[in-house]
Amino acid sequence: MTDQRRSGCPINLTLEVVGDKWSLLVIRDMMFGNRRHFRELLTKSEEGISSNILADRLKTLREQGIISWADDPSHKQKGIYSLTAQGIELLPVLAQMSGWGFKYLPVSEELGIRAKLLSEGGPKMWAEFMDELREIHLGVKRRKKAGPSVGERLQAAYERVMARKKG
Amino acid sequence: MTDQRRSGCPINLTLEVVGDKWSLLVIRDMMFGNRRHFRELLTKSEEGISSNILADRLKTLREQGIISWADDPSHKQKGIYSLTAQGIELLPVLAQMSGWGFKYLPVSEELGIRAKLLSEGGPKMWAEFMDELREIHLGVKRRKKAGPSVGERLQAAYERVMARKKG
DNA sequence: CAAACTGATTGCATTTAGCAACTGGTTGTA
DNA sequence: TACAACCAGTTGCTAAATGCAATCAGTTTG
């Protein structure tokens, strides 16, 4: 990962940071699956990332200021990865990619339901979800809204589809 | 490019199609720079793509239904690449990436001005620009709006910055 | 007719991705 | 206190993608 940039174009620079097949999936799992430890990210992802790639991406994402790392006081070996403010603001990028994929690619039903809700919810829902992420990852307190959070609603919808498919 | 998918997640599927360092740059140049021929894409890009990579990406993007190809009647060897409806709808993805890059990465002034305007314009401006792209690439007629188009405004802003920088 | 231009392709070296096994340490349980 | 399971990675190796420079055959321009 040398520092030479191909151009000063914002799209190019963004691609140089997260334009590979894994970085955004790691961020997705931290955002939507609340995976915060190395092992969680390694074993609970749909796609099966290998440990050296995961270690490399976590390192790079830290260097880029997209995630941060802290000791887990409950376990001497565990660390907790968190999204930074900058990382949280990748949500609209993921939401748009998710919406496009849902519309044009062979998305599975259980994994598509979140995309559908997020796409229908639009920028207003994204802003609310980013607020929730700031609370979870940065400890920023926010006024509790009535009813379930966006994160909870997405998770509940996923589980509803899974339950119906199994039963 | 084998067809095996890592998962049915919409974000993952989108990444498998355009999640590399070049595909989205080719689409960017077609959208914002109106590059339609192989040579234009090859020589007029900021980043300097090599010809074998460009040929491979154009092939893949055609196979994925993101761009299409047609003979150029003015020249027996020339072909014209166009964005499909599906390709045009990648604009919001590019716009979000562009906005994020503009906010957090060392974007050059002349290449950042489009990102700034597009970000400020929001979904409404993106919809208008997609309408313009549908006219240019798909031949879909639309009612002419008053004043310069989004594409023209972006280009004019870019040229204004360049003129000022040169003196 | 020659030079420049067209959309690529080929060969080769470098870089990145990916798999499987392994390391050194910690924690929970019997 | 022995021991399995768990923790965050690292190492060695192979496969695939990337990138550069040269080349190609047909087309258009002067």
Side-chain angles (χ1 to χ4, degrees):
Chain A
M1 188 73 63
T2 50
D3 239 32
Q4 50 197 8
R5 297 185 185 101
R6 298 182 299 185
S7 84
C9 164
I11 294 173
N12 174 59
L13 291 170
T14 300
L15 285 170
E16 299 209 17
V17 176
V18 295
D20 67 276
K21 293 255 190 293
W22 289 110
S23 295
L24 287 176
L25 295 183
V26 170
I27 295 165
R28 173 202 63 183
D29 285 347
M30 291 182 72
M31 278 186 183
F32 298 103
N34 200 35
R35 310 280 149 71
R36 307 293 292 277
H37 304 291
F38 190 94
R39 281 290 142 173
E40 283 181 321
L41 288 162
L42 184 67
T43 59
K44 292 182 186 172
S45 93
E46 288 285 329
E47 293 84 12
I49 192 170
S50 53
S51 59
N52 54 345
I53 305 284
L54 176 59
D56 179 78
R57 290 306 178 282
L58 289 170
K59 182 166 167 279
T60 305
L61 290 171
R62 279 179 69 183
E63 287 167 358
Q64 296 290 341
I66 291 170
I67 63 175
S68 65
W69 184 91
D71 264 332
D72 184 336
S74 77
H75 190 302
K76 279 187 186 168
Q77 270 184 319
K78 272 189 182 172
I80 302 179
Y81 289 98
S82 298
L83 292 163
T84 62
Q86 185 178 346
I88 289 167
E89 291 199 31
L90 281 169
L91 174 73
V93 175
L94 288 178
Q96 292 286 7
M97 290 182 66
S98 169
W100 187 85
F102 181 72
K103 188 165 178 183
Y104 291 112
L105 302 175
V107 168
S108 73
E109 193 189 356
E110 68 274 20
L111 295 174
I113 184 66
R114 287 198 198 89
K116 185 166 180 289
L117 292 176
L118 212 54
S119 182
E120 289 167 357
K124 203 174 169 182
M125 189 190 234
W126 306 347
E128 198 182 331
F129 190 43
M130 284 193 281
D131 262 354
E132 294 168 19
L133 290 172
R134 275 185 278 268
E135 184 167 45
I136 296 168
H137 289 260
L138 306 175
V140 176
K141 288 207 182 100
R142 65 193 182 95
R143 289 205 326 185
K144 191 77 184 159
K145 293 214 175 182
S149 70
V150 173
E152 286 163 355
R153 277 182 275 162
L154 295 175
Q155 187 59 22
Y158 169 73
E159 282 166 10
R160 232 175 291 130
V161 173
M162 286 303 279
R164 182 162 50 70
K165 287 194 89 170
K166 282 192 177 170
Chain B
M1 188 75 60
T2 51
D3 238 33
Q4 51 196 7
R5 295 183 187 101
R6 297 183 299 184
S7 84
C9 165
I11 295 173
N12 174 58
L13 291 170
T14 300
L15 285 170
E16 300 209 15
V17 176
V18 294
D20 69 278
K21 293 253 189 292
W22 289 110
S23 296
L24 287 176
L25 294 183
V26 170
I27 295 165
R28 174 203 63 183
D29 285 347
M30 293 182 72
M31 278 186 182
F32 298 101
N34 202 34
R35 310 280 148 71
R36 308 292 293 276
H37 304 291
F38 189 94
R39 282 287 146 172
E40 283 181 320
L41 289 163
L42 185 65
T43 59
K44 293 182 187 172
S45 93
E46 288 285 330
E47 293 83 11
I49 192 169
S50 53
S51 60
N52 54 346
I53 304 283
L54 177 58
D56 178 78
R57 290 306 178 282
L58 288 171
K59 182 166 169 278
T60 305
L61 290 171
R62 278 179 70 182
E63 287 167 0
Q64 296 289 341
I66 291 169
I67 63 175
S68 65
W69 184 91
D71 265 332
D72 183 337
S74 77
H75 189 301
K76 279 186 183 167
Q77 269 184 317
K78 271 189 183 173
I80 302 180
Y81 290 97
S82 299
L83 292 163
T84 62
Q86 185 177 345
I88 289 168
E89 292 200 31
L90 282 170
L91 174 73
V93 175
L94 288 178
Q96 293 285 6
M97 290 181 65
S98 168
W100 187 85
F102 181 72
K103 188 165 179 182
Y104 291 111
L105 301 175
V107 168
S108 72
E109 193 189 357
E110 68 274 20
L111 295 173
I113 185 66
R114 286 197 197 89
K116 184 165 181 290
L117 293 176
L118 212 56
S119 182
E120 289 167 358
K124 201 173 170 183
M125 188 191 236
W126 306 346
E128 198 182 330
F129 189 44
M130 284 193 282
D131 261 354
E132 294 169 18
L133 290 173
R134 276 184 278 270
E135 185 169 44
I136 296 168
H137 289 259
L138 307 175
V140 177
K141 290 212 180 96
R142 66 195 183 93
R143 289 205 324 185
K144 191 77 184 158
K145 293 213 175 183
S149 70
V150 174
E152 286 163 355
R153 277 182 277 163
L154 294 176
Q155 188 59 25
Y158 169 72
E159 282 165 10
R160 230 175 293 130
V161 174
M162 287 301 279
R164 182 162 50 70
K165 286 194 90 170
K166 282 192 178 170

